[in-house]
Amino acid sequence: MRLSGRIALVTGAGGGIGSAVARCFAAEGAEVVLSDKTERQCRNVEREIVGAGGVARVVAADMMKPHEIAELFSGLEQLDILCTVAGGDCDPVADVTALDEDRIGMNLDLNLRSCMLCCREAARIMKPRQSGRIVTMSSLTWRGAAGQFSYAAAKGGIVSFVRSLAMALGPDNITVNALAPALVDVPLFERVLGAERWNAMKADAVSRYPLRRIARPEDVARAALFFASDDAAFLTGQVLEISGGARL
């Protein structure tokens, strides 16, 4: 029960990675605030956690709307852990000449701006308590990825922001770290890409990753738990690539 007595907020908690993080935190004793664009997206996760004897509640917030982010945090008197999972690639294109300004803006807003705003609000709660853990979700694409121009830029921005924030919040005993997964096996990909294309993408990744499989949501969740726990009390400003050895 490494997180006993702590309150954790997980954004994107209705998705594959976010729900795994939420369940992992709850299993370790945290009271988990589940947030996603709509309450419906988190209700099944809430039921699973409560059914297993954990504590969870749902607060909806659209990460594309700054005022909803502010309202999400305004309802929290205590916050010990923030894990920002919400995000996604709004602009996958094969040719840079096809980049669209609106889609670039959406990608930067959903992935980078929302993370920065959530961290700002979390810091306002954590600083007076002189304690906190912030875990952000970057991606292995932060190194660069052809065809994912604005997404990779946003995830790279998260890495720079995390390192800057770690310097600023270290004196307040608040750690700030980033997770950078490679391809993760979540249901969203099959729904968006279709089974045939998704299976081909997975097979290609498996052939290239030294561990010969792609990540599971639980792999990411356990890494988030590490950064959120006292096991990582002296780690801050770090980027942990959950990659199965990809791009070694």
Side-chain angles (χ1 to χ4, degrees):
M1 303 296 284
R2 282 176 280 181
L3 306 183
S4 180
R6 301 182 191 182
I7 296 178
L9 169 61
V10 180
T11 69
I17 296 175
S19 62
V21 170
R23 287 191 293 268
C24 189
F25 284 3
E28 289 287 339
E31 176 184 335
V32 185
V33 180
L34 309 166
S35 188
D36 217 309
K37 189 173 182 179
T38 67
E39 290 188 5
R40 176 186 55 80
Q41 292 171 286
C42 294
R43 287 302 179 195
N44 286 339
V45 184
E46 180 188 35
R47 282 191 287 270
E48 290 176 17
I49 290 173
V50 173
V55 180
R57 56 192 171 98
V58 178
V59 183
D62 187 341
M63 292 293 109
M64 297 290 283
K65 298 178 179 178
H67 72 277
E68 291 196 15
I69 293 175
E71 289 171 1
L72 168 64
F73 285 85
S74 68
L76 301 174
E77 293 184 3
Q78 176 184 341
L79 181 63
D80 303 291
I81 301 161
L82 168 66
C83 188
T84 61
V85 182
D89 193 350
C90 300
D91 188 33
V93 294
D95 189 335
V96 68
T97 62
L99 281 172
D100 175 83
E101 291 181 14
D102 291 337
R103 302 294 285 181
I104 292 172
M106 288 175 62
N107 226 351
L108 294 175
D109 287 349
L110 177 60
N111 292 285
L112 179 56
R113 186 181 68 168
S114 70
C115 173
M116 295 177 73
L117 293 179
C118 284
C119 291
R120 180 193 69 185
E121 297 301 319
R124 289 173 173 171
I125 301 171
M126 292 175 175
K127 280 171 68 69
R129 298 172 59 88
Q130 290 289 285
S131 179
R133 301 278 186 268
I134 296 175
V135 185
T136 67
M137 194 61 62
S138 182
S139 162
L140 195 61
T141 63
W142 79 273
R143 297 190 184 193
Q148 293 183 286
F149 304 104
S150 55
Y151 179 76
K155 293 303 187 180
I158 288 174
V159 171
S160 297
F161 176 66
V162 159
R163 289 175 172 164
S164 299
L165 194 60
M167 296 175 193
L169 296 182
D172 298 296
N173 194 33
I174 300 168
T175 63
V176 190
N177 293 289
L179 303 176
L183 193 63
V184 182
D185 196 355
V186 293
L188 175 65
F189 285 122
E190 185 169 345
R191 290 199 300 269
V192 172
L193 300 173
E196 183 177 354
R197 186 178 173 193
W198 172 230
N199 288 334
M201 184 182 295
K202 285 195 293 184
D204 175 66
V206 167
S207 72
R208 293 183 289 105
Y209 293 5
L211 289 184
R212 292 298 187 263
R213 70 172 178 87
I214 64 172
R216 305 181 185 100
E218 293 74 23
D219 294 319
V220 184
R222 284 189 286 268
L225 172 63
F226 170 65
F227 275 144
S229 74
D230 290 340
D231 293 338
F234 200 61
L235 293 177
T236 194
Q238 302 303 303
V239 183
L240 178 58
E241 295 186 348
I242 308 163
S243 66
R247 300 194 185 185
L248 282 176

